Amino acid sequence: MKLRGSITILALYIFIHHMEAVKVYGPTQELINSICTETGDYELCKEIIHKHLETKTTNLLELTHLIFRIATEHASDTYIFIGNILREHPDPEETTGLNTCLTVYTDETSTFLKVRNEFCREEYERMIIDILSTRKILKRCRTDFQIPLNKKKHLIERSRVMKILITMSAVSGYMVKNGNGYLLSSVVTGPCFFNDVDKVSSILISSF
């Protein structure tokens, strides 16, 4: 139990330690609950969403939009984290595994950028296929290579958080695909913009 608590604290430190949580109630919290109960870590899922919400009320499309953005940013941040380890510890034994993980998080970021575009175009069938593909991509990043223990713990936890974000994305994505009308109320019908796409893409291009 103590170990589990330590892992959760590490995840929150890695992911959301710098943010203020938004308290939500009623239908919005029920929507969050319906997603987070399917993730395997309800508390972390709930905290991630609460820390990134900007308003106290949201609907399914807006929440799905948010989850995809969080997943993209986490993958991109982990890519940078691994790149920093490679620069600090360029030993041949370590490089192979770390380069594999670097490629994995490049692919995770690129795929979630694609998922977000498909979401905007309402190509939900294709969107779900691509979300599910990220599970297989993530499995390629093994963490049984030799790097400093503190870095290894952070990488393991980042991978665990990524797995939870993939599940969150799949659950909310399926809800959108299946047309849960009562969850889609108050939808804004304007264009779907992602103002961080250029930033994320430039990180992947320029880091190495």
Side-chain angles (χ1 to χ4, degrees):
M1 182 64 70
K2 184 177 180 181
L3 177 60
R4 175 72 177 197
S6 298
I7 290 174
T8 301
I9 290 170
L10 177 59
L12 295 177
Y13 175 78
I14 288 171
F15 204 70
I16 55 179
H17 69 281
H18 60 290
M19 298 180 179
E20 295 281 341
V22 172
K23 294 183 180 180
V24 297
Y25 306 95
T28 296
Q29 186 58 54
E30 290 173 9
L31 175 56
I32 293 170
N33 291 344
S34 68
I35 294 170
C36 290
T37 53
E38 303 295 328
T39 64
D41 194 329
Y42 172 83
E43 290 299 327
L44 179 58
C45 170
K46 184 181 69 173
E47 287 295 326
I48 288 172
I49 293 173
H50 282 189
K51 293 289 185 178
H52 286 83
L53 279 175
E54 296 180 356
T55 62
K56 294 182 178 181
T57 59
T58 191
N59 58 62
L60 179 57
L61 286 183
E62 292 165 347
L63 188 56
T64 302
H65 182 287
L66 176 66
I67 291 170
F68 291 169
R69 177 175 65 80
I70 297 169
T72 307
E73 290 174 354
H74 183 69
S76 177
D77 288 346
T78 304
Y79 170 89
I80 294 171
F81 175 78
I82 295 169
N84 288 336
I85 297 176
L86 274 167
R87 281 189 286 270
E88 295 168 8
H89 306 281
D91 296 339
E93 183 179 352
E94 299 162 353
T95 300
T96 300
L98 285 170
N99 274 324
T100 298
C101 288
L102 194 71
T103 301
V104 163
Y105 281 97
T106 301
D107 293 346
E108 291 283 4
T109 305
S110 299
T111 303
F112 267 103
L113 288 172
K114 184 180 177 185
V115 164
R116 292 165 68 179
N117 284 324
E118 290 161 346
F119 173 76
C120 287
R121 296 194 300 266
E122 300 183 11
E123 297 174 0
Y124 299 140
E125 292 281 355
R126 184 72 248 175
M127 177 188 79
I128 293 296
I129 291 171
D130 285 332
I131 292 171
L132 296 180
S133 76
T134 62
R135 292 178 175 175
K136 294 181 180 179
I137 293 170
L138 186 62
K139 288 180 180 179
R140 302 202 311 261
C141 179
R142 300 174 59 183
T143 55
D144 54 356
F145 40 81
Q146 297 300 313
I147 57 175
L149 184 59
N150 64 324
K151 304 285 188 183
K152 190 169 187 174
K153 285 181 178 178
H154 276 71
L155 181 56
I156 290 171
E157 189 54 30
R158 282 178 174 274
S159 295
R160 188 179 78 88
V161 172
M162 191 73 231
K163 184 178 179 180
I164 291 169
L165 286 167
I166 290 169
T167 303
M168 291 165 64
S169 298
V171 172
S172 61
Y174 269 117
M175 288 181 176
V176 171
K177 174 180 171 291
N178 293 334
N180 295 37
Y182 72 100
L183 297 174
L184 296 168
S185 59
S186 303
V187 173
V188 177
T189 57
C192 182
F193 290 117
F194 296 118
N195 58 15
D196 65 326
V197 168
D198 290 339
K199 177 183 176 183
V200 172
S201 299
S202 65
I203 288 172
L204 295 180
I205 293 169
S206 63
S207 292
F208 287 89

